[in-house]
């Protein structure tokens, strides 16, 4: 699973030598190795139909969710508790949509394991689904392999029933995508311009809201207004996904810093994560770390060149498995500066802590490259043989991305349905009153 410059890759049928188009990132037009997900499973017509179905479903859901947001926006001036609960429900709807996209168009095996720090928090349900028992408030960090990473992490939030409380830090350019951009603004996502002087005040504003928000309405957590609102803040310290270009950038940064570059991950940047931890200090107890690996990426290749949108969603060639290794760290154990203006030594201490975690990720991914598996916690929480009431390690949980119940899809349209019903009742009531008024006038 080396991440050096790739040799030859293609997302076309590759069972016999054949010319392939130049796809960049090292593709040369010569015959490529067989695709790790096998033959193309769908012909041109079926691919076109799958593309059409994906576009229709995506446009339908995105427009429906955004319309629901717009109809509910007056709640902001009427009742803030209900406004934030309402927006959390629309965020849940988007999490359900993300789950269906993966379940229907790119089903694959999900293999989950973790270390002893998450023992008892990874559970296989009776129907084979994954259930996670992560806390209501956390900061989540992960390596960034593919464009689809965030889809799987949002699904993890779904398995904890926290898919209505996800917050993501994104590139500012995404804010200007029609419908999608305004929808993400309703969700309270943070948009970064990669200019710290410009980003710091807007990030501080959003983080302060996350650190102080308490609401007593629905979706406000187990203890309502007595506790802070639920929050899963998702951060990719690498800043971008792994590719040929970003590999070169990481190598240049490593040379500038006088250190050795990694093979399986990019060097992490500490500024953003450190600032988030400082602003949320005292309101979050845990940093959850996920190491992600996709089956089938050979050494010397990059996932984005193999598992393209076309191959994954339209040709029927998603990764054979998506592998996740979970662990967590108490915020109290992380060397954070005492003040909001850290000294050079304090900043270096945190950077070294983060770098140490990424070295561990590098080792985990190397183990995966050699064995095809991450480690798994097979222990239990006391000495001797496991007994009743003891918490055992989950080992490997193999599952798939799927909804717990098919009828959860109806939630996506429930808001619009409710508004339509109210509008219909009001329209008929107005018509009835107008008719009565007209008849009375005629009698007079």
């Amino acid at each position: 699973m080396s991440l050096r410059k790739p040799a030859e890759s293609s997302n076309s049928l590759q069972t016999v030598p054949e010319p392939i188009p130049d796809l960049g990132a090292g593709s040369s037009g010569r015959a490529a190795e067989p695709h790790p997900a096998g033959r193309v499973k769908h012909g041109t017509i079926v691919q076109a139909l799958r593309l059409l179905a994906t576009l229709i479903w995506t446009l339908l859901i995105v427009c429906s969710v955004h319309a629901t947001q717009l109809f509910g926006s007056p709640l902001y001036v009427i009742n803030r508790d209900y406004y934030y609960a309402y927006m959390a429900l629309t965020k849940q709807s988007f999490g359900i949509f993300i789950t269906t996209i993966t379940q229907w168009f790119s089903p694959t095996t999900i293999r989950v394991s973790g270390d002893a720090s998450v023992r008892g928090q990874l559970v296989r349900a009776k129907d084979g689904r994954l259930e996670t028992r992560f806390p209501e408030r956390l900061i989540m960090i992960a390596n960034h392999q593919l464009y689809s990473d965030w889809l799987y992490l949002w699904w993890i939030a779904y398995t904890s029933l926290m898919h209505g409380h996800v917050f993501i830090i994104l590139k500012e350019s995404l804010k200007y995508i029609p419908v999608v951009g305004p929808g993400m603004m309703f969700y309270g996502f943070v948009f970064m311009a990669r200019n710290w002087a410009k980003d710091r005040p807007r990030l501080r504003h959003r983080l302060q809201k996350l650190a102080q928000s308490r609401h007593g309405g629905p979706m406000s957590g187990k203890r309502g207004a007595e506790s802070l609102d639920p929050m899963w803040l998702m951060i990719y310290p690498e800043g971008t996904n792994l590719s040929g270009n970003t590999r070169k950038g990481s190598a240049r940064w490593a040379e500038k810093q006088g250190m050795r570059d990694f093979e399986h991950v990019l060097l992490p940047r500490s500024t953003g994560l450190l600032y988030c931890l400082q602003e949320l200090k005292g309101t979050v107890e845990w940093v959850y770390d996920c190491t992600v690996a996709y089956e089938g990426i050979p050494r010397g290749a990059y996932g984005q060149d193999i598992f393209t949108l076309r191959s994954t969603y339209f040709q029927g060639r998603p990764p054979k498995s998506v592998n996740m290794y979970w662990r967590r760290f108490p915020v109290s154990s992380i060397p954070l500066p005492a003040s909001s203006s850290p000294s050079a030594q304090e900043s270096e201490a945190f950077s070294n802590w983060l770098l140490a975690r990424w070295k561990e990720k590098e080792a985990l991914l190397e183990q995966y490259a050699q064995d095809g598996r991450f480690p798994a916690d097979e222990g239990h929480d006391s000495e001797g043989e496991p007994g009743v009431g003891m918490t055992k390690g989950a080992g490997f949980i193999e599952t798939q991305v799927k909804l717990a119940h098919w009828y959860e899809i109806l939630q996506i349209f429930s808001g619009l349905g409710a508004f339509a019903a109210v509008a219909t009742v009001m329209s008929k009531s107005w018509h009835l009153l107008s008719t009565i008024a007209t008849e009375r006038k005629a009698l007079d």
Side-chain angles (χ1 to χ4, degrees), residues 128-146:
R129 291 182 303 104
L130 172 69
E131 291 182 358
T132 56
R133 298 172 180 174
F134 295 172
E136 289 188 342
R137 290 181 65 86
L138 59 83
I139 293 176
M140 183 187 298
I141 60 175
N143 59 310
H144 206 350
Q145 295 280 301
L146 279 178

Side-chain angles (χ1 to χ4, degrees), residues 127-310:
D127 60 359
R129 291 182 303 104
L130 172 69
E131 291 182 358
T132 56
R133 298 172 180 174
F134 295 172
E136 289 188 342
R137 290 181 65 86
L138 59 83
I139 293 176
M140 183 187 298
I141 60 175
N143 59 310
H144 206 350
Q145 295 280 301
L146 279 178
Y147 55 87
S148 57
D149 290 342
W150 67 276
L151 298 175
Y152 294 107
L153 292 185
W154 203 324
W155 167 72
I156 288 292
Y158 171 82
T159 66
S160 265
L161 301 180
M162 290 295 296
H163 50 302
H165 303 286
V166 172
F167 295 87
I168 308 176
I169 297 178
L170 302 164
K171 297 177 183 178
E172 187 177 37
S173 57
L174 298 176
K175 182 170 64 176
Y176 303 105
I177 299 175
V179 182
V180 175
M184 291 189 293
M185 294 175 70
F186 272 117
Y187 287 159
F189 289 175
V190 184
F191 297 94
M192 304 285 279
R194 296 190 175 181
N195 180 332
W196 186 238
K198 183 178 179 181
D199 290 336
R200 181 170 179 168
R202 67 176 68 173
L203 182 58
R204 184 171 186 267
H205 170 74
R206 176 53 54 190
L207 292 175
Q208 285 183 342
K209 293 192 72 171
L210 293 176
Q212 299 170 6
S213 58
R214 299 175 186 266
H215 297 94
M219 305 289 292
S220 58
K222 296 178 180 178
R223 293 188 295 167
E226 295 180 8
S227 61
L228 292 168
D229 290 347
M231 175 211 74
W232 280 27
L233 180 61
M234 193 183 301
I235 302 173
Y236 291 103
E238 292 164 313
T240 186
N241 68 286
L242 191 60
S243 69
N245 287 333
T246 59
R247 172 84 282 148
K248 294 175 184 177
S250 181
R252 288 193 298 268
W253 177 255
E255 183 178 2
K256 182 179 178 181
Q257 298 299 314
M259 63 178 66
R260 182 182 178 182
D261 193 19
F262 294 124
E263 182 181 10
H264 303 298
V265 293
L266 302 174
L267 281 173
R269 306 296 180 96
S270 61
T271 304
L273 178 59
L274 173 58
Y275 192 75
C276 290
L277 285 167
Q278 284 183 287
E279 291 295 322
L280 294 173
K281 191 174 182 180
T283 70
V284 175
E285 294 184 6
W286 298 97
V287 171
Y288 276 69
D289 172 63
C290 181
T291 302
V292 183
Y294 294 84
E295 181 178 346
I297 303 176
R299 289 187 181 274
Y302 299 95
Q304 71 164 25
D305 302 324
I306 299 172
F307 300 115
T308 63
L309 283 172
R310 182 186 176 194

Side-chain angles (χ1 to χ4, degrees), residues 9 27 202 260 435:
S9 62
S27 296
R202 67 176 68 173
R260 182 182 178 182
T435 301

Side-chain angles (χ1 to χ4, degrees), residues 436-444:
I436 294 174
T438 301
E439 291 177 351
R440 285 183 176 180
K441 188 174 182 180
L443 291 174
D444 293 340

Side-chain angles (χ1 to χ4, degrees), residues 61-137:
I61 299 306
V62 168
C63 292
S64 296
V65 170
H66 188 47
T68 305
Q69 291 175 323
L70 292 173
F71 284 134
S73 57
L75 285 172
Y76 188 81
V77 296
I78 298 172
N79 186 305
R80 295 287 174 88
D81 288 347
Y82 285 101
Y83 170 81
Y84 286 109
Y86 183 90
M87 289 304 161
L89 282 171
T90 68
K91 194 182 291 187
Q92 271 193 353
S93 296
F94 196 77
I96 291 170
F97 158 68
I98 285 172
T99 302
T100 63
I101 283 289
T102 304
Q103 180 178 352
W104 295 344
F105 297 103
S106 62
T108 187
T109 298
I110 309 294
R111 188 176 296 116
V112 181
S113 63
D115 69 4
S117 68
V118 293
R119 185 175 295 169
Q121 298 186 6
L122 303 172
V123 179
R124 188 199 308 272
K126 292 182 179 179
D127 60 359
R129 291 182 303 104
L130 172 69
E131 291 182 358
T132 56
R133 298 172 180 174
F134 295 172
E136 289 188 342
R137 290 181 65 86

